[in-house]
Structure formats: C-alpha cells, structure tokens
Amino acid sequence: MVVPTSPARSPQDLDDVIAGGIGDSPPRPDGTLKVRGEFAYSSDLWAEDMLWGATLRSPHPYARIVSIDIGPALAHPGVYAVLTHEDVPGENVYGLKVADTPALAEDVVRYQGEPLALVAADHPETARRALEKIVVDYEVFEPITDPERAAHDDTLPSLHPGGNVVRHQPITRGDPNARADVVVSDVYTVGMQDQAFLGPESGLAVPDGDGGVDLFLATQWLHVDQRQTARALGLPLEKVRFTMSGVGGAFGGREDLSMQIHCCMLALRTGRPVKMVYNREESFFGHVHRHPAKMYYEHGATRDGRLVYVKARMYFDGGAYASKTPVVVGNATSLGVGPYEVPNVVIEGWGLYTNNPPCGAMRGLGAVQPAFAYESQMDKLAKALGMDPARLRRINAIAEGSTMPTGQVLDYPAPVAELLERLERLPLPPEHSDDPVDVRELPGGGSNTTHGEGVVRGVGYSVIIKNISYAEGADDYSTARVRLEVVGGAPVAMVHTAAAEVGQGLVTVQQQIARSELGVERVNIHPNDTAVGDAGSSSASRQTYITGGAVRDACRAVREVLLARVARRFGEDPADLSLSGGKVVSATTGVLADLADVLGDDTIEQTREFHHRPTWAMDPVSGQSPRVHVQHAFSAHRAVVDVDTELGLVKVVRLDCAQDVGRAVNPDAVVGQIHGGSAQGLGLAVMEEILVRDGRVRNPSFTDYLIPTIVDMPPMTVDVIERADPNAPYGVRGVGEPPTISATPAIVNAIRDATGLNLTHTPVGPEHICRIEP
C-alpha cells in the first residue's frame, strides 16, 4: 500500500505526461533479463586464452612475515605467475580516505585474510592448489581487538605510524553541565554486519599489448578504483581503463578495492586475460563490513518530556585499515542525537584501528549505530516519564528551521512529526484469537515450536535522520554526457555516465530524466566506464540527486542548442519553445516540427558536471560547521513482533514505514528501496552478525551468517510522502539508506515492549531474551 502525498508543482516543473518520464514507474530495462536468469554479471565474464587468478591470505590477525617461499608454487604445472609485494610495480598502498592499505602485505599482516601473494594458472583449481604450496613463516603477535582500549591505552602497540586512533571528533553545543528532571543512561553495542551481496567479488583484466590494461568488474565507483589501481601499477590513468559489468548487489561493500589491483597485476605479468572470482568464504574476508560500535548514552529531560541534554561517547571498530572510518565517525557524531531538538549536546566519537576485520561503508554509513542507541534511549525515557513513546518523539521532533548540534540550520522540509503521526494512524494487526492458531504465524514458524504458550506481542517505534551525499567539505559531483540523434527515423537520446548501477534502479532514473527533459521516447544508456568523467560512488543515497542532476543539466544543454536552432529557423523566441512527444512545440503557435526533421543527420552532444551546494568540515574541537551535510532524509518505522519468551524466538508480524522522499522520481522503485532497506534493518535487529573472536571470523558462510529470506519478511504498509527539497534537482531526497536505519531500532523496541527486558545489543538473539550465558 502506497499513500503518496505530492506538493503543488510549479509551471517550470517537468511535463509528467511523458510516458516513462519523471513521476512514472516504467519497468527496469534489465529487469526481464534478471528475472529469466539471462543477465550477465561480472562473474560470468569470459575471454579466449584466459587464466584464473587466486589470492593467498593470512591465517593470522596479527603477525610479522618472516619469509615467503613461492618456489614450490611456481613449479606447479599450469601455473603462469606467482606474485608478492615485491612485484607491485607502483605504490604498494591505497585507501579511500587514508592511504594505509597495502595491495599485498610486505612485513606485517594486520587481519585474518589479508592478501600476501597472487597466483595465475590455467584452471581455478590449479590456482588454489598452487596457493597451498606457498610457504610463509610468521612471527605471531597478540592481536588488538578492543576498540575502546585502543582509543585510550597508550601501552598498546601502534598498528599504524600515527597510532591507533583514525579519527576523534567531539561536538559540543549549549551548556555541557546542563541538568534535567529525568535522566536515563545505558551502554549499547552493535554487532558487525555484512553487506551479504549475492554476487561475489569478480573481474576480468585484459592486457592491451601496449603496456595498459582493461578491467571489467563489479564496483560502486569506477574512477576511484581506476585511480588507486593506476598508482599501484605505476601507470598513467589513460593506460588503466575500467568498465562496469553486472553487479550482484553492493550496499557499500564494493567501495573499497578487492581484486582490482591483483587481477591487473597478473594480466600485465602474464600478458593474458586473467579472471578472478571469490568464493563465498573468501568474500567475507575480501571486503569491509559494518563497524561494530560501543556507545555510552545519557539523556536528560523535563518532566513534561522536553529533551534538555544528550551526552554520548561512541567507539567504532574500524579494523586493520581506515577505509571509511573517518566518515563513519563524522556521520555518527553529527547525527548522534537523532531527529530531535536538543539544546545541550556533548558527544565524542572515536574510530579505531584494531586487528579485527576491516570495516567501511555499509548502507546507512555511520547513522545505523547511534540510531539504535538514541532510539532505545527515547523508549527508556518514555517509560521513565510514563509517556507514550511516539508522543515523546513527536514533541521533540525537529522541523524546517531547526538547528542541528553542529550549528547547521535545516533550510528544507523536515516532516519528522508527520511521519510518526502517519504511522500512528495505521491500523495494528489483530491479536491472535483463542481459536486454534496457525503455527506458521507464530515464532518458530513451521518448526511447530509453540502453539501460542509463552508468546507475547510488542509494538515499537523509531524515527531517524540520515545525511545524503558526501559531506564535510567534499566536492561531491557527477558527470553526464548526453547525445541526441536520429536513429531509424526516430529521435534517440544516449546517456553516458560512470555512475554504478548496483541494483538501485539508477539506469531507469536516467532514462526517465532524459525522456522528460528532451521529450523523446527512446533513451539508451551507454555502458558505464571511465571514458566519461567521474560520477562518484553509488553510496550515500546520492546518485539520483547528483548524477540525476548531471543528466538533467546535460539534457537541458542539448535542448538549449536544439531550440536555439529551431528559433532561428522559425523566427520564434527560444523561451516559448519546448520538446514534447518527439516534437518541437511553440507556446503560441503549437507544433512547429518533428524533432527528427529538425535534427536530420546532425548529432547534438553536451557534457555537464553537477555539484551540490558546498559543505564544510566540522571544527575538530567543537564540531561546529555552517553546513556539515547537504541534505538530510527522514524515515520512521512501527514494528509489531511476537516473542516466544521460553525459546527466545522472534517473529516480526508487521513492519510499517513512513518516509519523506522529497519527490518520487520512480514511485515503484521508491517502494522497492524501502522494502529492501527494511529487510536489511530487520537482519541487523534479530539475526545478522559476523562473530569475531580474538580477531578471527567464526562464521564466514551463509550457513552460519544468517540473512532474512522471504519467510522472515512481514507485511508492510509503505506510506510515501513528498516534501520537495528546494535545493535539490526535482526536489528529490535520498531514499535507499533511511529505512535500513529506522527498521532496526523499531524492531528491538518492539521486542523490549513485549518482554520488558533491557536489551542493549543488536542483533537480539535467543540468548538475550532467555538470559542464556554464551
């Protein structure tokens, strides 16, 4: 069920009557192939005379490499190359924010699974057998695994030259010594979550015979991969060309490099195409995960429920290398009080190096962890006040014009209270009757673990805030090239960007924008590659905003050239002309000409960059900044759960969501994003956690790392509202991440409501409900 509520639209807004344009929900051009199993993913790549690459990884979380003997592996039949750090032709270090990650470990390994050596062979099994013949002698050290200790204990060894603190960010606003009538506090922990994309890391590197290489791969950011890989290969950018292949999911896990440098090194060394495909276990070691966190929170309020202050200390385990840890700390601290008016704030956030697996980007980057804490606190505060939890949230909700703890004033709609009101108006599911109950509707489902005894129901709310796009002074932009020409007697637009389609529907959105701006039906999307300018990463819910803005501007530039030509021919004012339905239309005289006739044999092509409004970094001491984030998004969930208190089993009965999307470019895709994000939030609430003990991953498989299936997903009502952001293209607001953030605390709050337990860790397992000692 979708309840769209659109704002009034001004005359200069796009013509919504264009079939498949803005506001419509055309089918995905790749949808049929994916449903039929005919879509080519990067793991399906193939080339004549192709070799297979494989990676040797450290079994230890922390050790010195005494020696590596590759001789036995090189002598293995079918092996064409064995490479170590000594074979890296350029800089043996890379990183998204901090260049601290070796392409291949040199003297020290800092986490279990760190790459040490590469093999290229004529068969994947041959490559794996050769890996077993590489002899590595280690001096094993005791790993650093406690991030809070890493922040404060100077006696620990430094994992990197600057120490073990990646970033420390305080935020202070108002009176740091403010007092309140009612105070609640607790310590919250969030487990390590995996992106769990179904398509493993994979790619095909093809040497060009002239010292360069082409890499076909699944990634989230072609140009940053290209830049890092070119430096490692010691090659100019033009010699390292990347092309997007089919991506089987991402969610942040493909922002960092995995096999890119390795595959290219092997191809250049052997002079033959090389393919690398991780298996599922290797994938767990081959990409970053969500940062585990430990958070100390204290909320103070008046007796009528007005927040007086929030104090928080947060520790984020970045693992062995920095990746996006600086961004996680920035997002977490700047959003750490949630979507609430709080006059007095004292927050400190740390991102730390440890010998645990590296952590980086994952859906909801840096906002997921504090949301679990502050929304748990809001429920505890409501209980202490004897107040309805939804009402407490409404009376403290921010709105347009509110000031954030960083000093940023919101100059766009922030309908936080409205989202909660809409959820409250939705009907609750009926309680189980006294009649025989279908056991499939109870916790445990078809396992027939209960017939209703020991089962209690709870309801939980949450509402969250999430930043959209890059922040803190990053120049966030995207590039689009648009060509308009006649093909087969009809006008056709071609859109070329490097923006990664990772399943979010961007390819459809680009077509919709071009149809609306150029008034043509046929729009083709050029394969994404590095032959066009940078589009940034498919992360931070930014692509519809940023790449959508670039496509819009490029289309308008094409239209301007075309209409100027028509105006000269017909003696019209260009301002009175428009494109619609493949025709040039005058506001005074009607249809002037067919677009195909005007174009003839000519082609009009324009390239544009779109940059969002500037942002500024937070002050390193006070955390203040006039604009930390370019935009915020807001999402709310109401969860209904049944809990078997005897077995600790949980069934999410319903998970309703209300979300402001600014403007729904593709309403069906918006609902799909909210459903998908809610599923990942459900996973973090009750089942998803990478178990790490002494720096070692204990469950690197989908047998032991559980993710929600269709059986676990409850019915959902999705209430989409549109409160356009006047600063954004078409008024859009990022959609993909917010529902992941708000789903988790809503479910945990519902479990807490059902059981009365003080649940401070997510995911919530049977051991937390039944008080089982691990």
Side-chain angles (χ1 to χ4, degrees):
M1 170 182 171
V2 184
V3 187
T5 305
S6 300
R9 294 177 179 171
S10 58
Q12 64 266 31
D13 277 349
L14 297 176
D15 183 2
D16 286 351
V17 302
I18 298 291
I22 296 290
D24 203 352
S25 296
R28 292 177 59 114
D30 55 353
T32 300
L33 291 173
K34 287 180 174 178
V35 169
R36 291 179 174 175
E38 299 169 358
F39 185 81
Y41 291 95
S42 60
S43 55
D44 298 315
L45 294 165
W46 194 266
E48 290 295 324
D49 204 29
M50 183 179 77
L51 299 174
W52 293 81
T55 308
L56 179 70
R57 298 179 180 275
S58 167
H60 305 293
Y62 192 24
R64 184 172 69 87
I65 303 169
V66 178
S67 63
I68 300 179
D69 183 3
I70 65 172
L74 271 172
H76 191 76
V79 171
Y80 285 76
V82 181
L83 307 180
T84 67
H85 71 90
E86 295 178 347
D87 302 295
V88 177
E91 299 176 21
N92 187 32
V93 66
Y94 67 89
L96 285 171
K97 305 297 289 185
V98 180
D100 62 355
T101 310
L104 292 170
E106 293 190 25
D107 53 350
V108 175
V109 290
R110 297 181 176 89
Y111 71 97
Q112 180 195 20
E114 180 157 3
L116 283 86
L118 310 171
V119 168
D122 57 9
H123 189 276
E125 184 59 32
T126 303
R128 286 190 287 269
R129 288 174 181 261
L131 291 180
E132 297 172 357
K133 296 193 172 187
I134 299 174
V135 180
V136 185
D137 184 19
Y138 298 96
E139 179 187 359
V140 179
F141 303 140
E142 181 180 352
I144 299 170
T145 59
D146 182 347
E148 185 174 3
R149 187 182 173 200
H152 303 298
D153 189 344
D154 294 334
T155 67
L156 292 175
S158 293
L159 297 179
H160 292 274
N164 293 327
V165 177
V166 181
R167 181 179 182 181
H168 171 229
Q169 179 63 59
I171 294 179
T172 57
R173 181 187 176 209
D175 180 3
N177 300 310
R179 295 180 177 275
D181 299 327
V182 180
V183 175
V184 295
S185 63
D186 221 320
V187 184
Y188 301 92
T189 55
V190 175
M192 183 183 293
Q193 187 182 18
D194 188 64
Q195 295 84 355
F197 42 73
L198 298 186
E201 293 82 352
S202 53
L204 175 68
V206 182
D208 64 7
D210 192 31
V213 64
D214 290 272
L215 181 63
F216 302 85
L217 78 162
T219 182
Q220 289 179 246
W221 192 348
L222 284 166
H223 281 82
V224 79
D225 287 6
Q226 178 198 33
R227 290 192 289 270
Q228 294 177 99
T229 303
R231 283 196 295 270
L233 298 177
L235 293 174
L237 285 177
E238 62 270 17
K239 286 285 191 179
V240 182
R241 299 165 294 271
F242 281 18
T243 300
M244 184 74 67
S245 296
V247 182
F251 314 114
R254 299 188 199 271
E255 276 207 306
D256 292 82
L257 296 184
S258 57
M259 39 58 60
Q260 288 89 328
I261 295 172
H262 302 160
C263 203
C264 290
M265 283 176 59
L266 290 170
L268 290 170
R269 173 60 67 93
T270 62
R272 290 171 61 171
V274 174
K275 178 177 179 176
M276 298 188 79
V277 182
Y278 291 176
N279 61 27
R280 181 58 57 190
E281 180 175 341
E282 185 173 20
S283 182
F284 271 91
F285 294 103
H287 65 256
V288 297
H289 312 289
R290 189 186 301 288
H291 289 70
K294 185 175 185 180
M295 300 165 289
Y296 297 79
Y297 263 80
E298 180 177 306
H299 281 56
T302 61
R303 296 196 184 280
D304 62 357
R306 297 286 176 180
L307 289 171
V308 175
Y309 70 82
V310 172
K311 297 179 181 179
R313 288 185 292 123
M314 312 180 203
Y315 299 92
F316 296 92
D317 186 351
Y321 297 104
S323 182
K324 294 298 270 300
T325 296
V327 181
V328 166
V329 174
N331 288 352
T333 51
S334 62
L335 306 174
V337 304
Y340 302 115
E341 295 272 9
V342 186
N344 306 295
V345 176
V346 178
I347 289 177
E348 282 190 274
W350 286 266
L352 291 315
Y353 287 122
T354 68
N355 293 120
N356 293 321
C359 291
M362 185 176 173
R363 195 175 196 166
L365 179 74
V368 167
Q369 299 90 333
F372 169 63
Y374 64 67
E375 284 301 86
S376 296
Q377 284 284 100
M378 292 299 282
D379 261 27
K380 291 184 180 183
L381 184 59
K383 184 177 181 180
L385 292 165
M387 184 179 292
D388 177 75
R391 179 171 178 267
L392 176 65
R393 288 170 167 83
R394 286 199 315 274
I395 65 176
N396 288 287
I398 58 173
E400 186 170 6
S402 292
T403 302
M404 301 296 291
T406 58
Q408 177 174 351
V409 178
L410 302 183
D411 59 352
Y412 39 74
V416 176
E418 182 182 1
L419 296 178
L420 290 162
E421 290 166 359
R422 285 171 172 265
L423 284 178
E424 288 183 279
R425 290 199 295 265
L426 293 176
L428 287 164
E431 295 280 351
H432 295 300
S433 67
D434 294 332
D435 297 330
V437 178
D438 186 341
V439 296
R440 293 172 297 180
E441 300 301 317
L442 295 173
S447 300
N448 197 24
T449 59
T450 181
H451 286 245
E453 59 274 10
V455 173
V456 293
R457 175 160 290 186
V459 179
Y461 286 88
S462 76
V463 62
I464 61 87
I465 183 171
K466 172 66 174 73
N467 65 298
I468 303 300
S469 298
Y470 305 152
E472 293 198 73
D475 182 14
D476 192 3
Y477 72 94
S478 183
T479 314
R481 182 181 300 146
V482 174
R483 185 171 73 243
L484 187 63
E485 60 187 336
V486 176
V487 178
V492 177
M494 172 70 80
V495 178
H496 187 186
T497 75
E501 169 60 67
V502 294
Q504 79 275 41
L506 180 65
V507 63
T508 316
V509 166
Q510 292 178 86
Q511 289 180 318
Q512 291 178 259
I513 292 171
R515 288 192 190 105
S516 294
E517 294 286 355
L518 297 175
V520 299
E521 180 180 353
R522 292 176 57 189
V523 179
N524 296 327
I525 303 298
H526 191 284
N528 306 117
D529 56 33
T530 50
V532 68
D534 199 346
S537 173
S538 285
S539 61
S541 301
R542 61 179 288 280
Q543 286 292 8
T544 296
Y545 188 131
I546 307 299
T547 293
V551 173
R552 178 199 65 178
D553 290 355
C555 286
R556 289 180 177 178
V558 167
R559 187 175 67 195
E560 183 179 353
V561 172
L562 178 70
L563 294 183
R565 181 184 303 177
V566 174
R568 288 193 298 270
R569 180 187 300 182
F570 291 94
E572 295 271 350
D573 184 348
D576 292 336
L577 301 181
S578 62
L579 301 177
S580 180
K583 300 181 184 301
V584 182
V585 181
S586 167
T588 55
T589 59
V591 175
L592 292 179
D594 286 337
L595 184 53
D597 293 337
V598 173
L599 281 168
D601 294 332
D602 291 344
T603 295
I604 301 176
E605 182 175 286
Q606 295 288 315
T607 301
R608 290 292 184 272
E609 281 186 0
F610 176 83
H611 298 246
H612 68 49
R613 297 189 297 166
T615 59
W616 289 270
M618 288 186 283
D619 183 273
V621 176
S622 69
Q624 298 303 293
S625 168
R627 189 186 299 128
V628 179
H629 302 294
V630 70
Q631 186 189 69
H632 295 86
F634 309 95
S635 176
H637 271 89
R638 185 184 68 188
V640 181
V641 303
D642 283 344
V643 183
D644 185 332
T645 56
E646 297 176 358
L647 296 177
L649 302 178
V650 175
K651 180 178 179 63
V652 182
V653 176
R654 194 158 190 92
L655 188 59
D656 298 323
C657 180
Q659 185 168 333
D660 172 28
V661 303
R663 184 177 184 187
V665 174
N666 185 314
D668 285 356
V670 164
V671 174
Q673 285 288 292
I674 293 172
H675 275 267
S678 299
Q680 284 191 305
L682 183 151
L684 180 59
V686 295
M687 63 182 72
E688 291 191 50
E689 183 173 9
I690 297 178
L691 300 176
V692 182
R693 300 291 183 268
D694 300 321
R696 299 178 183 274
V697 177
R698 300 302 188 187
N699 58 335
S701 74
F702 282 171
T703 300
D704 301 307
Y705 181 90
L706 304 180
I707 58 176
T709 69
I710 194 170
V711 175
D712 302 294
M713 281 304 295
M716 290 185 64
T717 293
V718 177
D719 189 347
V720 175
I721 68 171
E722 297 178 271
R723 300 290 179 261
D725 180 349
N727 308 294
Y730 310 120
V732 301
R733 201 185 299 273
V735 173
E737 293 177 289
T740 296
I741 306 166
S742 53
T744 299
I747 293 169
V748 178
N749 285 343
I751 300 172
R752 190 183 291 115
D753 178 58
T755 63
L757 295 171
N758 183 31
L759 302 171
T760 59
H761 177 80
T762 191
V764 177
E767 68 275 18
H768 303 115
I769 296 170
C770 297
R771 300 298 189 187
I772 301 170
E773 292 298 326

